[in-house]
Amino acid sequence: MSGFILGIDLGTTNSLVGVVDSGFPILLADAAGERLTPSAVHVAADGTLTVGAAALRRRVLEPSRTITSVKRLIGHRAGEAGWEPPYDLKALGLTPVEVSAAILGHLKSVAESALEQEVTRAVITVPAFFNDAQRAATREAGERAGLTVERILSEPTAAALAYGLDKLEGRRRIAVYDLGGGTFDVSVLELREGVFEVLATAGDTRLGGDDLDRSLAVAIWKKAAPEGSPDWENLEMGKRVRLIEAAEGVKKTLSTQAVAPVELPFFLEAWSLAVEVTRAELDALARPWVEATRKHCLRALSDAGLKPAELDEVVLVGGSTRMPLVRERVAEWFGREPCTTQHPDEAIALGAVIQGGVLSGSLRQVLLLDVTPLSLGIETFGGLMNVIIPRNSTLPCKAGELFTNAVSGQASMLIRVLQGERELAKDNWELGRVEVPFTPGPKGSARVGVQFALNVDGLLEVLTRDTVTGVDTVLAIQRTAVDVNDEAVEKMIAESVEFALEDMSERQWTEAALKGRELIEAVKAALDQLGEAISTEESAALSALAEAVERELQATTHQVAALKAANQALDDATQELAVRLIEQAMEASLARRGLAD
Ligand code: ADP
Ligand code: MG
């Protein structure tokens, strides 16, 4: 068996494969001499799969049998999330993992033909912002294609490797801005003496050039459609696909020219479509789309604790960074001309190749320190998210916490493993759950340790232990990976910034409510205990304060400040009561002693 480890960029739009050969990282070409393989799979009626450019050629004829951008469906249930593909995977009898496996299998055979030997090991890249399930699904696709996946590597980290391999001396801090066909990633890294450390990463796994192609296609149709023709929604699928393909071509032309023609002969029977689109028209559509990447840039910088001026370079990769508007906006946000020395289509694959070379020992050692893009935690009392491993923690890492029972006599505890940035458990993504049994006892008597371990690929393993009995339960998150509801995580990614304040007040309310209920219980207990020893006025005053808290708890709109104030008033009153109780007890005991004397 060969010692080669392939480096693979499994892109939304295009994929590439390469290897370190005789000490040089190179990308491999297929029989047609192409290094870029479209990430497209055609499914024939008899189930035969065709991958790459050949699949794409069949798309206009059979759009519903040609699978593109399947990466957008990785880690989601078919048909569930926001992006609607022009095909029905289920009807074709395939899963996203199987389609990805077909693409990976094709790349494997391209490499084997070029190298004239069998190769079974690979490094595969994923968007930095892929969560646990999406990484696991990618690994599974590799295994199905007959590859041992030596490492799952984040795409911007790979791009940084390609950028930094000849700059191993000294120290520099860079941002990698990667805008491709389906995803956007931005990472801030520090490169020093052969160590590549990711300081922070952010992005959106559903933002890319594909979105722009579609909105441009709609705009072209609006502009060109003849009187009485169907509007976009009612246009048949094959025609829409033709328009989207034309829009992509126009978009690319407009990266270097001011005007681009669109010509689709015999688009509606005898009628041919012919219009011109200007760069200004495209820019108007593209502006909000580019602006959507800005908040991720700001977040990555602030997580890394850096100002734009403290960066040495902003490296652009991904096909969409060829657009002048993207370059112009990035230059403005970061206050410098971005670095465009890296090949936008090839840098990530090259980085994967380099990592493969390092792992196989054919390249000099560099050390990669990647981070986890999303926080991991479990649900605690009141439906709150309790973070165990915060986002942007360096991989691999381990962390644990001890939990106890909230209710007396409880015989088990449900641990819900969550990933995401929202304060409330329900807004985060549930990766899995495990029921931990323990010996029933009073409230607070159980001791359950929960340990999270993230490996170098960013995949999670959860260990729970009843520290009283020493019984361990290991939750293998990977297995639950592909079949999960993505909506929560999508919402979470998009909303974590916008909802930060709202989340905070909801969290504060939940905490205040817990405190309020505890106080009411305590007051009831104290009043019972005191009985005759407290005056009716005092008792009534305390009850009134307790009722005030109760009213806030029942209120339809949650008023954090009012609840806190009511809690405070009740707390103050019970403090006085406690002092009185202690004084009374002491007096009583003194009096008893006096009697005894
Ligand atoms: P992915 O990593 O998602 O596979 P790529 O980095 O290969 O994506 O980029 C593909 C995207 O780049 C597509 O949306 C494509 O239309 C866009 N693209 C490629 N070349 C150009 C260009 N010259 N101008 C504008 N966009 C381009
Ligand atoms: Mg890419």
Side-chain angles (χ1 to χ4, degrees):
M1 209 189 71
S2 79
F4 285 126
I5 299 183
L6 301 178
I8 295 178
D9 172 6
L10 181 62
T12 308
T13 325
N14 297 303
S15 296
L16 296 101
V17 61
V19 77
V20 174
D21 195 2
S22 315
F24 289 100
I26 52 161
L27 296 174
L28 301 168
D30 61 15
E34 295 293 337
R35 292 188 290 202
L36 219 58
T37 297
S39 305
V41 177
H42 177 264
V43 190
D46 66 357
T48 309
L49 302 183
T50 311
V51 177
L56 220 46
R57 280 194 294 273
R58 300 182 192 183
R59 179 161 73 160
V60 181
L61 299 174
E62 293 191 296
S64 62
R65 294 204 151 270
T66 311
I67 304 161
T68 52
S69 301
V70 74
K71 194 172 173 183
R72 290 191 165 205
L73 299 174
I74 275 280
H76 318 155
R77 257 185 235 144
E80 193 162 46
W83 182 68
E84 278 303 319
Y87 48 81
D88 181 354
L89 260 193
K90 243 205 209 112
L92 294 171
L94 290 168
T95 64
V97 167
E98 286 165 348
V99 177
S100 303
I103 298 168
L104 289 169
H106 177 82
L107 296 171
K108 180 176 185 275
S109 68
V110 166
E112 288 174 341
S113 306
L115 299 168
E116 297 181 328
Q117 57 182 288
E118 196 192 353
V119 192
T120 57
R121 301 158 77 196
V123 170
I124 304 176
T125 60
V126 295
F129 226 55
F130 256 22
N131 60 39
D132 189 78
Q134 293 167 314
R135 283 164 196 259
T138 305
R139 174 177 277 278
E140 195 187 329
E143 284 161 7
R144 272 170 186 268
L147 291 165
T148 305
V149 182
E150 300 287 340
R151 187 69 59 91
I152 296 285
L153 183 64
S154 289
E155 287 165 10
T157 313
L161 271 178
Y163 162 86
L165 193 66
D166 59 348
K167 307 179 184 67
L168 292 181
E169 270 73 53
R171 168 181 149 149
R172 63 181 73 202
R173 284 183 289 213
I174 64 165
V176 177
Y177 180 101
D178 175 3
L179 187 55
T183 56
F184 169 67
D185 271 316
V186 55
S187 291
V188 176
L189 296 102
E190 184 167 284
L191 279 43
R192 50 172 199 280
E193 316 290 344
V195 178
F196 291 71
E197 180 173 7
V198 181
L199 302 178
T201 193
D204 188 336
T205 53
R206 304 287 186 86
L207 178 68
D210 289 0
D211 304 305
L212 194 55
D213 300 344
R214 196 178 178 280
S215 47
L216 183 59
V218 175
I220 291 172
W221 184 238
K222 249 200 193 128
K223 186 169 162 175
E227 197 73 27
S229 54
D231 57 16
W232 175 264
E233 267 70 39
N234 297 316
L235 208 56
E236 64 188 70
M237 184 76 81
K239 293 204 188 333
R240 274 196 263 170
V241 168
R242 263 180 90 188
L243 270 170
I244 292 173
E245 283 180 354
E248 187 187 4
V250 164
K251 177 186 75 176
K252 288 182 180 172
T253 308
L254 290 175
S255 285
T256 49
Q257 278 154 41
V259 187
V262 197
E263 270 155 30
L264 295 173
F266 305 109
F267 189 73
L268 295 176
E269 289 161 36
W271 180 81
S272 300
L273 185 149
V275 279
E276 280 189 337
V277 180
T278 64
R279 162 114 37 106
E281 285 172 308
L282 173 66
D283 283 359
L285 280 175
R287 198 165 285 272
W289 169 81
V290 181
E291 291 298 325
T293 66
R294 184 179 185 187
K295 66 170 185 251
H296 301 293
C297 296
L298 293 175
R299 180 169 170 175
L301 277 172
S302 91
D303 281 356
L306 292 178
K307 293 192 197 69
E310 291 171 301
L311 292 173
D312 293 294
E313 203 116 66
V314 179
V315 181
L316 296 186
V317 289
S320 299
T321 61
R322 288 196 180 91
M323 290 177 65
L325 182 69
V326 173
R327 295 185 174 188
E328 176 199 308
R329 300 306 296 146
V330 171
E332 191 180 316
W333 302 335
F334 287 91
R336 73 188 62 233
E337 278 311 309
C339 157
T340 52
T341 56
Q342 296 309 301
H343 192 301
D345 300 325
E346 298 184 349
I348 287 160
L350 210 53
V353 169
I354 291 166
Q355 177 67 13
V358 169
L359 291 175
S360 68
S362 49
L363 272 189
R364 101 165 234 202
Q365 211 63 31
V366 295
L367 184 63
L368 257 189
L369 299 171
D370 212 340
V371 297
T372 178
L374 296 161
S375 302
L376 288 154
I378 72 169
E379 178 176 341
T380 55
F381 306 134
L384 297 179
M385 164 81 166
N386 182 82
V387 172
I388 294 184
I389 298 182
R391 73 163 190 268
N392 288 324
S393 298
T394 303
L395 301 175
C397 59
K398 239 185 215 176
E401 246 176 72
L402 216 52
F403 295 91
T404 189
N405 55 324
V407 181
S408 297
Q410 210 175 319
S412 69
M413 185 188 291
L414 178 68
I415 306 277
R416 290 183 63 208
V417 179
L418 306 169
Q419 187 165 36
E421 306 310 321
R422 303 290 299 274
E423 296 277 350
L424 298 184
K426 70 175 171 61
D427 295 328
N428 288 318
W429 193 11
E430 181 177 322
L431 294 177
R433 47 172 72 195
V434 59
E435 190 91 30
V436 187
F438 47 76
T439 327
K443 172 178 170 176
S445 64
R447 289 281 177 278
V448 175
V450 176
Q451 188 190 63
F452 281 19
L454 272 177
N455 68 11
V456 284
D457 296 332
L459 291 169
L460 175 68
E461 188 176 85
V462 178
L463 177 87
T464 59
R465 171 176 296 174
D466 177 350
T467 58
V468 179
T469 61
V471 174
D472 287 347
T473 317
V474 179
L475 180 61
I477 293 295
Q478 287 91 319
R479 291 303 110 203
T480 65
V482 194
D483 193 35
V484 283
N485 180 343
D486 186 59
E487 259 163 46
V489 94
E490 271 314 307
K491 255 185 30 210
M492 178 274 303
I493 293 168
E495 297 171 352
S496 60
V497 184
E498 287 106 275
F499 285 102
L501 278 176
E502 208 174 283
D503 274 6
M504 275 299 286
S505 74
E506 194 56 23
R507 183 182 194 110
Q508 284 178 352
W509 197 89
T510 308
E511 282 169 358
L514 284 170
K515 173 147 197 230
R517 291 199 186 95
E518 264 173 26
L519 281 169
I520 292 173
E521 294 259 314
V523 169
K524 272 193 195 135
L527 289 178
D528 282 352
Q529 197 186 320
L530 281 165
E532 300 294 297
I534 185 168
S535 75
T536 9
E537 291 83 41
E538 264 183 312
S539 160
L542 277 173
S543 299
L545 288 172
E547 273 158 28
V549 172
E550 190 63 49
R551 261 200 308 282
E552 291 303 329
L553 287 174
Q554 303 300 336
T556 37
T557 49
H558 292 170
Q559 305 281 353
V560 180
L563 177 60
K564 279 189 168 172
N567 278 347
Q568 195 60 49
L570 183 59
D571 202 14
D572 290 347
T574 51
Q575 292 297 336
E576 281 172 36
L577 197 67
V579 172
R580 284 256 311 282
L581 277 170
I582 293 166
E583 280 171 1
Q584 263 182 24
M586 283 171 73
E587 272 167 29
S589 97
L590 281 176
R592 270 200 302 279
R593 227 180 290 165
L595 279 178
D597 279 341

